[in-house]
Amino acid sequence: MDYKQLAPFSPDFLWGASTSAYQVEGAWDADGKGRSVQDARINFPEGTTDYKVAADHYHRFEEDVELFAELGLRAYRFSVAWTRIIPDGDGEVNPEGVAFYHRLLDALLARGIEPVLTMYHFDLPQALQEKGGWSNRATVDAFARFAKVLFTEYAGKVRYWLTINEQNMMILHGAAIGTAGDSGDPQRELYQQNHHMMLAQAEAMQLCHELVPNGKIGPAPNISVVYPASAKPEDVLAAADYNAIRNWLYLDMACRGSYNPTAWAWMTEKGIAPEIADGDLEILASGRPDFLALNYYSTATVAAPLGTGSDVGAMGGDQQLAVGEEGVYRSVRNEHLPVNEFGWEIDPVGFRSTLREVYDRYRLPLMVTENGLGAFDTLEADGTVHDRYRIDYLDAHIEQMRIAVTDGVEMLGYCPWSAIDLISTHQGVRKRYGFIYVDRDEFDLKELKRYRKDSFFWYQQLIKANGSATRD
Ligand code: BGP
């Protein structure tokens, strides 16, 4: 549908930007912090850095928050490192870790920036991992306890809470993100982990409503609509199946407290359905989100599977590249879409479709907590960074989000990835996303000086105009 005129963004729309603890903070063992699975990780791709120093935000957060304020951010989405708060995951609380996030929150609030706090973003305490991680049901209790500490400490300072970042990607790409266990049946193990994370999330949502007056909480999966490769009925069905497995399994559980029937049938067929203990269904039904957060980078396109033993069209193994599955769907390249330097398809219209679809299904306000373009930026001799490609990407997505608002989607805010350069999940520091350039290489830390990119000034203007500068 085309519109003669687009609806405006609401005056209190949360224009923000995002980061996550292990990718930005560094200071991996400072002030009593325990090791997380990301600190313990050894399988970094050749030539890429670990997370020990990252952007050193832990030591430079005041300077960074000052820059965020200059950028005009109305919200900042960040994650708390579980291992700063409870170093071994389920033992003593570390007062220095707790104090760090108080300082960060105070700095944000003093500048009128609304904090959006992710409780857990890929960085499970290594001590819990050694006890079985999410395969061990005790991790559910550990998470609930951690959640209680966060709610009690930060209730007066944080209104918007996110439970688990991209739970669906931790399950779908467990091997790449580091959640896959070492049992002989990784997929079965992953879906048991998924069940445990669902329980943990439901408990956290319930606790938030008890402990945080005016608190709002939601999940933060990576959601994107799945297109059928053609109008062939079998392709359409394959897309519906993958939509259920990739998206609705997670959001149905968060919003409706029950398993998506198609996803459940798929798990049963494959023999990977989780064990459900007495009382689990009640716990799952007891948690309700107040809003839905979602990360969006790209769409996926799939076709009907071919016969046994045939190609499933695996396109790689990271969070945006669908891997096909025999008998279910075949991943295909969408010839209508360009790709970025890392092979991710770029699809702003798919962003509008995704927002509409999610809102139609669940009727809860939406917040975008990631969207952005990873690229190799160049710092010029005069300290400028000309990242027109990033501006184009963000501008096209914001335009489609505005059309989605005109379609009737209730949007709370938009927090692109990322506020400042940080370490990518798979491709080191060279794959940059930030509005602020951090001068370091993979192994040469230089001075970690901050520079404003062209996208910084562009986003600053866009926020000032409440998102309408370039198109009214
Ligand atoms: C999301 C993660 C982020 C971030 C982003 C970009 O899946 O939630 O942590 O890493 O993707 O991905 P990458 O860093 O692999 O380019």
Side-chain angles (χ1 to χ4, degrees), residues 362-388:
Y362 305 106
R363 286 308 149 78
L364 285 171
L366 307 184
M367 185 187 293
V368 174
T369 41
E370 284 183 36
N371 173 234
L373 183 75
F376 301 109
D377 294 338
T378 307
L379 178 65
E380 307 292 346
D382 63 356
T384 55
V385 177
H386 304 303
D387 56 344
R388 183 75 236 174

Side-chain angles (χ1 to χ4, degrees), residues 23 121 165-166 297 319 370 417 424-426 431 433:
Q23 293 174 281
H121 191 128
N165 179 70
E166 295 199 355
Y297 289 90
Q319 61 283 48
E370 284 183 36
W417 188 264
S424 133
T425 304
H426 305 103
K431 186 183 190 184
Y433 284 88

Side-chain angles (χ1 to χ4, degrees), residues 23-44:
Q23 293 174 281
V24 76
E25 284 179 2
W28 70 291
D29 62 351
D31 302 333
K33 179 178 173 298
R35 276 198 328 155
S36 78
V37 292
Q38 299 296 344
D39 300 318
R41 191 169 149 186
I42 43 169
N43 62 338
F44 292 96

